[in-house]
Amino acid sequence: MTVIVISPSVMQFLLAFIVVGPLLGAVAALLPAPPGLKGRNPDQAVLRHGVTVTGAVLIAAIVLAVGFDHDHPATMQATTDISWIPALDVRIHLGIDGISLPLLVLTALLTFLCALYSYFKPPAGPSPKAFVALVLVLESGTLATFAVLDLLLFFLAFEMVLIPMYFLINRWGGDQRQAAAWKFILYTLLGSVVMLLGLLLVGLKSGTFDMVALATDNGRGLTTSVQVIAVLAIGLGLAVKTPMWPLHSWLPDAHTAAPTVGSVLLAGVLLKMGTYGFVRILLPAAPDGMRTFAPYLAAFAVVGIVYGSLACLALARTGAKGDLKRLIAYSSVGHMGFVLLGIATMTPTGVNGALFANIAHGLITGLLFFLVGAVKDRYGTADLDTLAGATGAALYGRAPRLGALLAFAAVASLGLPGLAGFWGEMLTLFGAYSPAEGLSRPAFRTFMAIGAFGTLLTAAYMLIVVRRVCMGEHTLSARTTPDTSAPSAPSALSAPSIPSAPSAAPASDASQAPATPGTPQTQAATPAPAASPTPGTLQAPTTPGAPQAPPAPQLADVQPYEAAAWTPLVALTVLAGLWPAVLLGLTDPAVQKLLSGGKS
């Protein structure tokens, strides 16, 4: 295998550019566009600017990954270490290893795909200038969180993403966006205040804020009582962002109200910041404190798995008027429960499973929110009952490619073997079967059994969603006994002669598919659909000569820009499922070193 060698100075520059570049791009987005780059209008120019900046960051991240020394993934690479506040020994310390590199590339990829999607489908709301600037600030803060190696810099980067996400939800979101944005900011800020106290406690008691030094010391400079308090304080702030049950209640509201791009970034990268903090800070720096709280963390994790699945089942049932975006948000509570369960095992197997599940969740749930946003754009709603019944949704018949992609993302989310979602869940359950020394095996095997039951619940609600949204409802309410159905059939078929009936339903259907060039325009004038206001109902089956209602009008299927934004996520989901060693080969040596106190 050919190894591409990139000099350390170039690697340092690339990592610094990845962190700082989006921030500079955000400032440039607020400035007037140069005369030669204005494009058709200022809005188009600034959206193109967002694609350019995020594309450059993604290229830099890919080059960084190519130049990464894959033979030594446990070693910090592309490091920069500059004194910033000497009085507090705070340093601008950057670096990546096998744990942070996949998250760095995932963040750069998802942000670029969101910028590309927004270029062709700008968000409805205020000026795109502010939208692009906020997305770039969000990207910079997230990338910095995964790249910094100083506790105070980690806190600053961790907090940097809150304000952009608040405004993305509040200004470009849907119904109830203001309440959802306030709930998001209050929960996360309150958690962050407690987390800051814990970070200061660790830094002051150990004499350093450097994460590498703390990991090497492996808690030897901190008493057990200090570690317990630190894990409680820092873990609380990280658990809110993860989110861990019962601190999750801000998440469904935020996802439901957020624009499509906001939901993708929130689920794909922001939730990973909390679990990354558990792995990068608490496991190596406070192992005794983590060992004390590990059973409780695991218990909350499996409750979240079952709770999230039951909430999804409640939303998916017929007549619940469940929102599809809200259902996917609750599914994230369950999936992140598996990540927390893997971390709580404190074993290489469990932690590797948690890191793998992190990446898989970012790919699959990011794709799901893209797809749900596309369905909502076409139908004007994400209500499951409406999608499955009143509009004759049946995506397989009306937009087959979109329906196939939604089914693919759903089966990937439920952990189908051969796709990315399978390996993370399996490894976390294996880790729970044999937890670290000092942890109760009977308790963790009980947690493993509950988590395995959660996988069955996940399969149940995902398959219900696929059946209802992709296949439509098959109600039999119109089929009555032969004695009553035969005489009623002619009157039902004569409904098109009523002048007030034909004008409503076809017009709404025609307005829902303006983007399909091949859709026949005569459908709006066809009176027959008015005779069947509830698609999927079996009507007049005993009258062979009766005229049949035409099929529901086609929806705009997957557009080229949508295919460009979604194809990388599909490909990586398949690649990670078929070749998990690509990711595990990076994380495993780094995890082994982290759990052994800095010893390779």
Side-chain angles (χ1 to χ4, degrees):
M1 183 179 67
T2 303
V3 178
I4 299 176
V5 179
I6 300 178
S7 68
S9 58
V10 174
M11 294 284 284
Q12 288 177 349
F13 171 78
L14 287 173
L15 185 57
F17 171 75
I18 288 170
V19 173
V20 180
L23 203 57
L24 299 177
V27 175
L30 299 175
L31 302 176
L37 299 176
K38 287 185 177 179
R40 294 191 300 269
N41 55 65
D43 290 350
Q44 191 245 9
V46 74
L47 290 170
R48 184 177 59 205
H49 170 79
V51 176
T52 303
V53 174
T54 55
V57 172
L58 176 59
I59 292 173
I62 293 173
V63 174
L64 188 71
V66 170
F68 186 81
D69 185 357
H70 292 263
D71 292 331
H72 301 90
T75 303
M76 283 294 172
Q77 303 179 35
T79 55
T80 299
D81 193 0
I82 303 171
S83 179
W84 184 32
I85 307 176
L88 296 176
D89 193 28
V90 178
R91 310 181 67 82
I92 299 177
H93 192 182
L94 305 177
I96 54 169
D97 63 357
I99 293 173
S100 52
L101 179 62
L103 291 167
L104 208 71
V105 176
L106 174 67
T107 301
L109 173 65
L110 283 178
T111 312
F112 170 71
L113 296 180
C114 287
L116 183 66
Y117 186 86
S118 300
Y119 177 77
F120 291 97
K121 187 171 182 56
S127 167
K129 270 181 174 286
F131 176 83
V132 171
L134 289 170
V135 169
L136 291 175
V137 172
L138 184 69
E139 180 184 29
S140 180
T142 309
L143 291 169
T145 301
F146 300 137
V148 297
L149 297 173
D150 184 274
L151 290 181
L152 292 186
L153 281 184
F154 175 86
F155 176 77
L156 293 177
F158 196 88
E159 296 303 292
M160 184 177 172
V161 304
L162 300 185
I163 301 303
M165 183 53 69
Y166 167 80
F167 281 109
L168 285 174
I169 297 172
N170 194 28
R171 302 298 299 278
W172 286 271
D175 297 337
Q176 306 296 323
R177 60 181 182 269
Q178 292 185 350
W182 274 110
K183 198 171 185 179
F184 163 77
I185 199 73
L186 287 176
Y187 266 75
T188 50
L189 279 179
L190 288 174
S192 298
V193 169
V194 181
M195 183 176 74
L196 176 60
L197 296 177
L199 293 173
L200 291 174
L201 176 66
V202 170
L204 295 176
K205 289 293 184 179
S206 63
T208 181
F209 289 96
D210 187 85
M211 293 184 189
V212 177
L214 288 169
T216 303
D217 187 65
N218 202 224
R220 287 183 288 270
L222 300 173
T223 64
T224 301
S225 59
V226 169
Q227 290 188 36
V228 168
I229 296 172
V231 170
L232 181 62
I234 299 173
L236 186 63
L238 297 174
V240 171
K241 185 66 71 71
T242 297
M244 180 186 76
W245 181 92
L247 305 174
H248 69 283
S249 60
W250 61 270
L251 183 69
D253 293 339
H255 270 309
T256 305
T260 297
V261 167
S263 293
V264 171
L265 293 176
L266 182 58
V269 295
L270 262 67
L271 301 188
K272 313 302 175 285
M273 296 165 63
T275 52
Y276 174 78
F278 276 105
V279 175
R280 176 64 73 193
I281 299 173
L282 292 183
L283 277 178
D288 293 337
M290 276 296 295
R291 196 169 288 107
T292 299
F293 282 105
Y296 304 101
L297 180 63
F300 284 128
V302 295
V303 170
I305 292 171
V306 175
Y307 170 84
S309 299
L310 292 177
C312 290
L313 281 171
L315 290 171
R317 77 177 193 275
T318 303
K321 307 299 287 183
D323 187 281
L324 189 51
K325 287 187 71 176
R326 195 173 188 86
L327 185 147
I328 303 301
Y330 271 112
S331 76
S332 292
V333 176
H335 289 305
M336 298 311 291
F338 280 102
V339 178
L340 290 173
L341 176 61
I343 294 171
T345 67
M346 299 183 68
T347 63
T349 301
V351 176
N352 275 304
L355 294 173
F356 199 104
N358 251 349
I359 301 298
H361 179 265
L363 295 172
I364 297 169
T365 308
L367 177 61
L368 275 170
F369 276 115
F370 268 133
L371 294 169
V372 173
V375 171
K376 187 174 182 179
D377 289 338
R378 285 157 172 78
Y379 284 107
T381 181
D383 177 74
L384 269 170
D385 288 337
T386 304
L387 293 176
T391 60
L395 279 179
Y396 287 157
R398 302 186 66 183
R401 293 183 183 86
L402 182 59
L405 281 173
L406 183 60
F408 168 84
V411 297
S413 182
L414 63 84
L416 184 73
L419 299 177
F422 170 74
W423 296 105
E425 294 181 2
M426 185 192 72
L427 290 173
T428 58
L429 293 177
F430 279 177
Y433 182 81
S434 182
E437 185 179 352
L439 299 179
S440 170
R441 286 199 173 192
F444 271 83
R445 289 181 180 179
T446 302
F447 299 147
M448 180 198 71
I450 297 173
F453 176 67
T455 63
L456 300 179
L457 296 177
T458 302
Y461 70 75
M462 278 299 178
L463 293 176
I464 290 173
V465 168
V466 171
R467 177 182 62 80
R468 298 191 68 200
V469 177
C470 295
M471 302 177 188
E473 297 284 23
H474 300 283
T475 58
L476 301 177
S477 58
R479 173 177 281 179
T480 57
T481 61
D483 293 336
T484 56
S485 61
S488 63
S491 61
L493 294 173
S494 64
S497 63
I498 301 174
S500 59
S503 59
S508 63
D509 280 339
S511 65
Q512 289 166 353
T516 307
T519 301
Q521 299 301 316
T522 57
Q523 289 170 343
T526 304
S532 54
T534 54
T537 303
L538 302 179
Q539 295 192 358
T542 60
T543 311
Q548 299 297 317
Q554 294 292 306
L555 293 174
D557 213 335
V558 177
Q559 301 299 299
Y561 73 91
E562 293 173 327
W566 304 341
T567 300
L569 301 179
V570 173
L572 290 173
T573 299
V574 174
L575 176 64
L578 296 178
W579 196 10
V582 173
L583 187 56
L584 293 174
L586 284 173
T587 61
D588 185 53
V591 169
Q592 297 276 2
K593 182 177 180 179
L594 208 65
L595 294 177
S596 63
K599 300 175 184 178
S600 299

